[in-house]
Amino acid sequence: MYLRRFYDEGLAHASYLVGCQETGEACVIDPARDVEPYLLTAKREGLRIVAALETHIHADFVSGARELADRAGAAICVSDEGPPEWKSEYVHAYPHRLLKDGDELHFGNVRLVVMHTPGHTPEHVSYLLYDGKTSPDVPMALFSGDFVFVGDVGRPDLLERVAGERGSSEALARQMFRSLRKFEALPDHVQVLLAGQPEAPVYFARMKQVNKNGPRLLAELGAPERAKLSPERLRAWRESGVVLDVRPADAFAKRHLAGSLNIPWNKSFVTWAGWLLPAERPIHLLAADAIAPDVIRALRSIGIDDVVDWAHPAAVERAAPDDVASYANVSPDEVRGALAQQDLWLLDVRNVDEWAGGHLPQAHHIPLSKLAAHIHDVPRDGSVYVYCRTGGRTAIAASLLRAHGVGDVRNMVGGYEAWRGKGFPIEA
């Protein structure tokens, strides 16, 4: 048996290629939208991907099941459990199989048994793995999707919080309890193969619909144009869509296109892009040549498909003086001095639990995930100082504030941890 795990750190998403080396048949469980790694690995190992299996209708990434059906001829295998509104609608255009509790899938000597495990979502299924050659009657692992993790279980409240399904939290919690009883009956040696999940951004609700209806094929999207930017076209970018600059915060702070949004290219990029980028507006990307394809691929992994063009950030140097902006980076000592003179409006963009654990005196609290919705609560006159835990989120917050017309934005370098490390006062 062949088994390989693929992990996307930005999405906290795990997927698996499972196959029989004797017959060459293989499947991918919970595939990502970029299916190239599975196809390359399968070819190298002498395997044919004949099926794409889903544990549930995903909310945190665009599924690659349709891509595998289109590019490899794979059959799409999805849950047929749960109410009608939780059925995948696009699969009927492809070879497919609708799965019920107890159904079996065979790939050579590999056998997968379907377990209906509702709780995270009503239709959720898990797959018990059997090696038909070495231990045909003893399960060796469970592909648990978002049902159960090491030391944790999938959240039953996301449908109510994100998709607005009132009253679903309690019903799914009860289903989760029954599913865990079923899980408890498995042998102790069964390994849990899991796909982790980050905090739920607002794009989760949209992802459910995309994966239910079927995402657009990547071949249909094509490659965004590499633009040659004149000062005039840079100005047109600002007026025609969202300008996304993925440079490190320091470079962006010194000089950037006025109105642009800075989400630095790092492991948190996808999460914040999902929170803050509107799906209905075209994206103009500023990124170095070496990373632009990866950035576009990451955005498409969460259904942000309308990156219409991109250019190297050096183009900002050619922008007219009236079309560029900057913001200041300041130390905790400078912030303390300004607080003593009460010459600032101080903004904490950390999460609710972080704020409750302690914050700077006189601070106002708006989590970064909600800042765009509450941007009018921030004054336009005077200086606005912003901080987070260590400084990563404030780069995004500062760009968002500047883009919405806050003229004097100052980012406290090192954030709350640097302030606390100096022994400066904290309020609870």
Side-chain angles (χ1 to χ4, degrees):
M1 182 179 69
Y2 180 87
L3 171 60
R4 177 170 172 183
R5 178 178 183 258
F6 298 80
Y7 190 72
D8 185 325
E9 187 176 356
L11 289 170
H13 163 228
S15 55
Y16 302 87
L17 176 64
V18 189
C20 174
Q21 290 156 314
E22 287 190 10
T23 66
E25 296 174 292
C27 68
V28 180
I29 299 172
D30 285 340
R33 192 178 196 181
D34 178 13
V35 300
E36 200 64 30
Y38 313 122
L39 297 174
L40 291 174
T41 302
K43 183 178 181 180
R44 185 175 63 245
E45 299 296 332
L47 299 170
R48 293 175 293 107
I49 298 175
V50 298
L53 281 58
E54 299 278 23
T55 55
H56 63 299
I57 298 175
H58 300 283
D60 46 353
F61 65 94
V62 176
S63 166
R66 188 183 181 199
E67 284 289 325
L68 284 173
D70 182 74
R71 295 184 57 183
I76 302 174
C77 302
V78 295
S79 173
D80 195 31
E81 298 284 0
E85 61 269 25
W86 288 98
K87 310 287 187 184
S88 297
E89 296 178 351
Y90 74 97
V91 299
H92 300 283
Y94 298 92
H96 67 279
R97 183 171 174 186
L98 305 179
L99 303 173
K100 294 285 191 182
D101 185 65
D103 284 351
E104 295 189 5
L105 298 160
H106 295 263
F107 307 99
N109 292 317
V110 173
R111 179 165 67 105
L112 294 171
V113 177
V114 178
M115 287 178 59
H116 182 211
T117 50
H120 176 65
T121 60
E123 85 290 0
H124 197 293
V125 295
S126 301
Y127 299 98
L128 266 176
L129 173 65
Y130 294 79
D131 186 336
K133 193 166 187 180
T134 61
S135 53
D137 300 316
V138 181
M140 61 180 295
L142 179 75
F143 297 99
S144 59
D146 285 345
F147 158 52
V148 66
F149 311 114
V150 176
D152 204 353
V153 297
R155 290 172 56 177
D157 64 326
L158 285 183
L159 293 187
E160 186 159 356
R161 288 178 179 269
V162 177
E165 293 199 9
R166 294 178 58 117
S168 62
S169 295
E170 182 174 349
L172 286 171
R174 293 181 182 277
Q175 291 180 16
M176 177 68 76
F177 180 80
R178 291 191 290 270
S179 296
L180 289 170
R181 283 293 180 89
K182 185 189 298 186
F183 173 72
E184 191 179 36
L186 296 175
D188 290 342
H189 69 267
V190 170
Q191 302 176 62
V192 177
L193 302 167
L194 57 97
Q197 179 169 285
E199 186 178 346
V202 292
Y203 77 91
F204 275 23
R206 180 169 52 85
M207 282 298 88
K208 283 284 187 187
Q209 203 62 39
V210 167
N211 285 324
K212 180 180 178 180
N213 297 339
R216 295 165 65 189
L217 293 170
L218 293 175
E220 297 173 355
L221 300 180
E225 173 196 3
R226 193 189 193 287
K228 293 182 179 179
L229 293 183
S230 63
E232 292 73 25
R233 187 164 181 183
L234 272 173
R235 191 174 302 117
W237 266 21
R238 293 173 51 193
E239 297 169 355
S240 64
V242 177
V243 179
L244 174 62
D245 191 326
V246 301
R247 288 178 297 162
D250 286 348
F252 183 89
K254 292 174 184 175
R255 182 182 175 91
H256 57 265
L257 189 66
S260 58
L261 178 65
N262 180 216
I263 306 179
W265 177 243
N266 56 36
K267 66 180 182 181
S268 301
F269 172 81
V270 173
T271 298
W272 291 117
W275 271 114
L276 300 173
L277 289 176
E280 69 280 1
R281 297 190 64 194
I283 306 294
H284 305 290
L285 175 65
L286 287 169
D289 294 10
I291 66 169
D294 294 329
V295 174
I296 294 167
R297 189 179 302 113
L299 291 171
R300 288 177 173 179
S301 75
I302 55 171
I304 299 176
D305 293 344
D306 291 326
V307 180
V308 295
D309 49 16
W310 66 278
H312 194 282
V316 176
E317 298 300 322
R318 299 193 293 273
D322 291 345
D323 291 331
V324 296
S326 62
Y327 66 81
N329 288 317
V330 296
S331 68
D333 299 87
E334 292 174 273
V335 176
R336 191 181 188 194
L339 277 172
Q341 301 174 21
Q342 297 188 339
D343 188 26
L344 79 167
W345 199 85
L346 183 60
L347 175 61
D348 183 325
V349 296
R350 296 175 301 156
N351 296 333
V352 173
D353 57 338
E354 295 173 291
W355 167 266
H359 50 267
L360 274 63
Q362 304 177 40
H364 302 265
H365 182 228
I366 307 175
L368 176 57
S369 59
K370 303 186 185 312
L371 182 56
H374 294 273
I375 200 73
H376 296 295
D377 295 339
V378 181
R380 297 296 189 275
D381 55 335
S383 300
V384 175
Y385 289 68
V386 60
Y387 74 92
C388 63
R389 188 177 73 87
T390 60
R393 282 167 284 182
T394 51
I396 304 171
S399 72
L400 198 60
L401 292 167
R402 291 292 281 122
H404 283 83
V406 180
D408 185 9
V409 177
R410 308 187 185 194
N411 169 33
M412 188 175 82
V413 176
Y416 177 80
E417 292 300 322
W419 176 275
R420 189 176 66 167
K422 286 180 170 290
F424 292 165
I426 289 170
E427 292 181 353

